[in-house]
Amino acid sequence: MEVLAAHLPAYTKMVVKGNRGGLPVPLTLGPSCIGRVTDVAPDVFHVIPGDIVLDTALLDAGGGDEILVGWVGLGGSGAGSERTDRMRTVWHDGVFAEKALCAKETMVKLPGAENYPDPARLSFLPWLCIAAAGLHAAGPLTGRDVAVIGATGQLGGAAVLMALAEGAATVTAVGRNKEALERLAELGPRVRIHRLTGDRATDAAGIGPVDVALDALGATPTADATMAAYDSLRGRGTLVLIGGVHQDLIIPYGDLMHRRLTLRGSWMSDEETVTTVWNLIRSGLLDLSAIELLTVGLDDPAAALDLAERTTGLGFVALIP
Ligand SMILES: NC(=O)c1ccc[n+]([C@@H]2O[C@H](COP(=O)([O-])OP(=O)(O)OC[C@H]3O[C@@H](n4cnc5c(N)ncnc54)[C@H](OP(=O)(O)O)[C@@H]3O)[C@@H](O)[C@H]2O)c1
């Protein structure tokens, strides 16, 4: 596959430093990209040379054994197994390269993408799909009040765009970064903003009441913002966790039961979600023009990682190899 553009996640430097889990080094990093198929093995039928595809990196052997090719993070318990080790040995390298050899299971065709005017922008698709899978875990969004915790991050920014595209009545963008929140508010009158104070009760009152809360926070030192989102739910509401919070949550049994709340987790996305999100983009319902696209090449990896680290919210860095 010829790599056209690959999203460089904001926390890639952490991955390189080894702060996000082990990888079978040396390897070519890179979790996902937009690519053009150049050749296929004889047993591959769902894509043909010339197709524009999203490579999702997700390789699923069933039974909880899932890997992201060329990236950290394992499905299931997250602990890995002898089988995920073997999978990572065979499917080793990611897509931060000019050309990539990809497992057929990781490729989803994007019909009509060859006519999309700005393919580099499409490399944000994986984050939009991860956000969409999380939102869909809470059921239909149309006419419901949604909050995105960590909306100032890239996954959170993607979730705000998705919730607006899928007809949420209001989307409350929650985060610390004032400028990023103000930028989100400019997306339209359905967007409300709440700047995190660090006080759980104050934040819960500022966020809610909402029907759906999506937690897309990075690694936070406490679970207070996540629990403020839990507190902000209306009866029968749903909290979905998709972020990188390494904290335990203390959920009051009686409250969850009496308020008929749902707590869900969501990891990565699936082919159906990719197709849905691509169709929203293709039809114009999901407009990517609000996203600020910054591009880098392969020549200066250290500068690229620095730029990615500084770029969050509705901005993202795409590697054009
Ligand atoms: N579920 C999945 O399938 C999946 C897939 C990809 C990534 N992830 C996880 O999602 C997380 C977010 O990814 P991203 O790309 O959106 O990262 P990002 O752009 O760096 O965003 C991080 C977010 O976390 C907030 N944050 C960080 N530290 C905080 C703190 N101490 N207190 C309050 N807020 C804090 C930031 O808020 P401010 O900017 O306002 O400070 C920002 O909104 C990552 O940690 C990753 O592990 C999950």
Side-chain angles (χ1 to χ4, degrees):
M1 182 175 71
E2 179 192 352
V3 177
L4 299 178
H7 174 205
L8 201 55
Y11 56 91
T12 304
K13 199 191 273 182
M14 293 295 139
V15 173
V16 171
K17 283 184 174 166
N19 296 350
R20 290 297 182 105
L23 279 170
V25 288
L27 88 169
T28 302
L29 269 184
S32 56
C33 73
I34 298 293
R36 184 184 289 110
V37 177
T38 50
D39 202 2
V40 295
D43 65 334
V44 175
F45 304 105
H46 71 304
V47 295
I48 59 169
D51 282 348
I52 304 293
V53 296
L54 173 71
D55 183 83
T56 65
L58 182 62
L59 199 55
D60 183 358
D65 284 338
E66 296 167 86
I67 66 163
L68 296 175
V69 181
W71 201 246
V72 288
L74 296 162
S77 68
S81 66
E82 175 274 327
R83 191 157 62 143
T84 55
D85 286 347
R86 274 193 291 127
M87 290 161 74
R88 275 181 157 182
T89 305
V90 179
W91 288 106
H92 188 247
D93 287 321
V95 295
F96 292 163
E98 290 168 337
K99 289 187 175 163
L101 181 66
C102 301
K104 64 179 177 187
E105 295 89 342
T106 66
M107 283 187 288
V108 184
K109 184 174 170 171
L110 303 176
E114 53 282 358
N115 300 321
Y116 190 78
D118 194 0
R121 206 165 278 272
L122 288 183
S123 60
F124 200 54
L125 201 54
W127 252 228
L128 289 162
C129 292
I130 293 163
L135 289 165
H136 292 169
L141 302 177
T142 317
R144 297 170 85 197
D145 294 315
V146 176
V148 178
I149 321 304
T152 45
Q154 286 177 345
L155 206 47
V160 171
L161 292 177
M162 278 306 308
L164 290 172
E166 297 208 331
T170 64
V171 182
T172 303
V174 182
R176 295 180 302 183
N177 183 322
K178 192 165 169 277
E179 291 75 38
L181 287 174
E182 283 165 0
R183 212 162 139 199
L184 289 163
E186 287 166 14
L187 288 172
R190 284 184 291 149
V191 179
R192 300 173 60 239
I193 54 173
H194 171 72
R195 193 166 179 206
L196 284 170
T197 65
D199 178 69
R200 177 171 161 178
T202 309
D203 287 331
I207 297 168
V210 293
D211 304 299
V212 176
L214 182 83
D215 182 312
L217 288 165
T220 54
T222 73
D224 286 349
T226 305
M227 290 310 297
Y230 170 89
D231 295 340
S232 76
L233 293 173
R234 288 201 179 97
R236 296 183 194 274
T238 302
L239 170 64
V240 187
L241 309 179
I242 65 166
V245 175
H246 300 288
Q247 304 292 339
D248 293 335
L249 303 182
I250 298 172
I251 303 293
Y253 186 116
D255 182 69
L256 182 91
M257 179 182 73
H258 287 116
R259 297 207 291 135
R260 300 179 178 86
L261 303 179
T262 303
L263 179 60
R264 293 283 309 260
S266 179
W267 191 65
M268 302 311 288
S269 78
D270 54 23
E271 188 172 339
E272 192 185 338
T273 306
V274 173
T275 303
T276 300
V277 175
W278 166 235
N279 284 336
L280 287 173
I281 295 170
R282 210 178 162 186
S283 65
L285 279 169
L286 178 53
D287 179 6
L288 301 188
S289 64
I291 296 172
E292 183 193 359
L293 167 69
L294 302 166
T295 59
V296 293
L298 284 170
D299 49 319
D300 192 348
L305 297 189
D306 284 342
L307 182 64
E309 192 177 40
R310 293 195 304 271
T311 310
T312 62
L314 289 176
F316 84 104
V317 175
L319 169 72
I320 314 284

